[in-house]
Amino acid sequence: MASKILLSLAIFAAACSSIALASDPSPLQDFCVADTENPVKVNGFVCKDPMQVNADDFFASGLQTPAEIKKDVGSGVKPINVNNLHGLNTLGISMVRIDFVPQGINAPHTHPRATEILTLLEGTLLVGFVSSNQDGNRLFSKVLYKGDVFVFPEGMVHFQQNVGYENAVAIAALSSQNPGVITIGDTVFGSEPAISIDILAKAFQTHAHIIAAIQAKF
């Protein structure tokens, strides 16, 4: 009986450990401003000498101006994360501004390390995410208007589209200092080296020449 209890406790401890490691590391001091010049590589960034830290390490500007629009998708993203706001290191949060022209999209993508919560400031957006295979790949979608909020769970493929007649602007917060982004089209059709056309043709149940034509666009 005692051995079974010990085994159960060991399994529980391992599970708790894996859960704890599934998010950004918690700070063990007031702050750990990223020292991006330090050659030491860790999971995140080495801390800057706290005596050399000043207010500018916790400050960023630029979200008052629109992001540069990518013509192929009709949207632009301006991020604020640990790479351009070093005070975010170990704090587990970042944000983005997203601008859309009419009918512009933020193409289907995932954030492998973060949940995203989006607030629409101007315009009308169609947003949604698709659940995992285990959940049946269900689509959860909603049209947002000014002031509306929508959350995209961590790792879920999600998208936004401006379905209004005016430009749209959104601000989103993400639960990681460096959430990462995997754009589905770029990843599947634009990898280097390319994924085998035969594999993609079978995966998408289409002809090889169609896959080749799509790959050529990336």
Side-chain angles (χ1 to χ4, degrees):
M1 176 61 73
S3 61
K4 290 183 178 180
I5 293 174
L6 288 174
L7 178 60
S8 298
L9 289 173
I11 294 172
F12 178 74
C16 290
S17 175
S18 65
I19 291 170
L21 294 174
S23 60
D24 285 5
S26 298
L28 299 176
Q29 57 277 318
D30 289 349
F31 48 78
C32 175
V33 173
D35 182 357
T36 57
E37 302 300 320
N38 196 308
V40 176
K41 302 300 181 184
V42 297
N43 185 24
F45 291 97
V46 173
C47 300
K48 182 178 179 179
D49 181 348
M51 299 309 296
Q52 301 299 317
V53 170
N54 59 55
D56 287 337
D57 290 311
F58 303 97
F59 172 81
S61 183
L63 292 189
Q64 75 278 13
T65 58
E68 182 178 352
I69 299 295
K70 294 182 178 180
K71 293 183 178 180
D72 54 342
V73 292
S75 71
V77 179
K78 184 177 285 190
I80 298 292
N81 55 43
V82 71
N83 297 303
N84 54 14
L85 180 51
H86 298 160
L88 289 175
N89 194 40
T90 76
L91 298 184
I93 194 168
S94 59
M95 65 188 305
V96 297
R97 169 178 173 149
I98 316 171
D99 290 270
F100 303 83
V101 299
Q103 299 306 307
I105 66 167
N106 191 8
H109 63 282
T110 73
H111 301 293
R113 296 180 290 275
T115 291
E116 175 181 347
I117 184 167
L118 179 145
T119 303
L120 184 59
L121 302 182
E122 297 291 344
T124 308
L125 284 185
L126 171 66
V127 304
F129 70 87
V130 179
S131 66
S132 65
N133 294 359
Q134 291 88 337
D135 188 65
N137 300 128
R138 292 188 292 161
L139 172 63
F140 297 85
S141 186
K142 192 81 173 175
V143 174
L144 304 186
Y145 301 94
K146 183 176 180 179
D148 288 346
V149 176
F150 198 84
V151 66
F152 307 100
E154 181 175 337
M156 298 293 100
V157 175
H158 59 284
F159 61 87
Q160 300 101 29
Q161 181 183 27
N162 181 0
V163 293
Y165 297 101
E166 305 291 338
N167 289 350
V169 183
I171 291 286
L174 300 108
S175 61
S176 172
Q177 67 183 41
N178 187 23
V181 60
I182 300 172
T183 304
I184 306 306
D186 292 343
T187 302
V188 173
F189 296 106
S191 68
E192 184 62 41
I195 299 174
S196 163
I197 288 178
D198 180 61
I199 291 174
L200 293 180
K202 289 178 179 177
F204 287 93
Q205 300 179 26
T206 189
H207 298 290
H209 72 274
I210 294 176
I211 296 297
I214 296 174
Q215 285 182 326
K217 296 180 181 296
F218 290 87

